Amino acid sequence: MQNSHSSDPESELLVNGRALRLQVPPAMPLLWALRDVAKLTGTKYGCGVGLCGACTVHLDGRAVRSCVTPVSGAVGKQLTTIEGVGADALGKQEQQAWRELDVPQCGYCQPGQIMAATALLRATPRPSDSEIEDAMSGNICRCGTYQRIRAAIRRVAGGGTP
Ligand code: FES
Ligand code: FES
């Protein structure tokens, strides 16, 4: 894992609506910068190679894997993490549906699931089952909460019904 040094350049990121200056190598994975430097630990480390979705955040509203996105790739964009996703109505509805349907089991994958689901519903407010499948199939849940995740997405998309 790369560490930050005082000789590193400063990168200014816009994280959850706030400017954040980080002195880290520009090539450092965004996930490391968020968790280890900014101490925003809601975004989780799963595989580290873009295959599990645990580290999903939004850049300009689109879901990206922060483990394979360099810090430099987030400069000049709106970066949203699980800590900030509830700031707007859609993110709030997602979190509420997750609570109402008791979606999480161990919970580890769920920040990434919520981020992926929110990006899906922002782009496609009424997704078909196959669009939900396409958008969510890269987010792994070792506890197998897939049915509840998809029910929560359908509940938000349908305005309250599962
Ligand atoms: S930790 Fe980033 S996709 Fe698995
Ligand atoms: S709730 Fe445990 S990995 Fe998804």
Side-chain angles (χ1 to χ4, degrees):
M1 186 176 297
Q2 292 162 290
N3 294 311
S4 55
H5 297 287
S6 56
S7 58
D8 288 326
E10 206 170 57
S11 298
E12 184 168 311
L13 301 182
L14 193 61
V15 185
N16 300 328
R18 290 193 182 163
L20 194 66
R21 289 173 186 279
L22 299 178
Q23 209 165 13
V24 297
M28 175 184 273
L30 190 53
L31 178 61
W32 304 166
L34 288 171
R35 288 186 55 84
D36 295 348
V37 184
K39 306 298 179 198
L40 289 166
T41 55
T43 305
K44 299 305 183 202
Y45 171 79
C47 64
V49 290
L51 295 175
C52 75
C55 66
T56 304
V57 297
H58 295 171
L59 284 182
D60 289 342
R62 296 181 53 183
V64 300
R65 306 294 196 235
S66 62
C67 69
V68 290
T69 302
V71 167
S72 58
V75 173
K77 298 186 174 154
Q78 304 255 7
L79 167 58
T80 307
T81 68
I82 189 67
E83 288 88 351
V85 76
D88 72 8
L90 179 59
K92 266 198 196 80
Q93 286 170 39
E94 290 278 347
Q95 290 174 326
Q96 189 181 338
W98 249 248
R99 276 194 297 272
E100 286 171 2
L101 296 180
D102 224 352
V103 173
Q105 191 162 318
C106 81
Y108 196 83
C109 72
Q110 299 296 337
Q113 304 281 4
I114 289 180
M115 297 309 285
T118 308
L120 163 67
L121 291 176
R122 185 161 291 124
T124 311
R126 300 280 178 272
S128 65
D129 285 351
S130 69
E131 285 170 323
I132 294 175
E133 221 36 60
D134 283 351
M136 300 302 295
S137 61
N139 282 72
I140 308 301
C141 174
R142 292 185 198 285
C143 300
T145 64
Y146 299 111
Q147 296 297 332
R148 296 201 295 277
I149 289 167
R150 280 141 184 76
I153 293 170
R154 283 196 292 270
R155 174 173 290 214
V156 175
T161 47

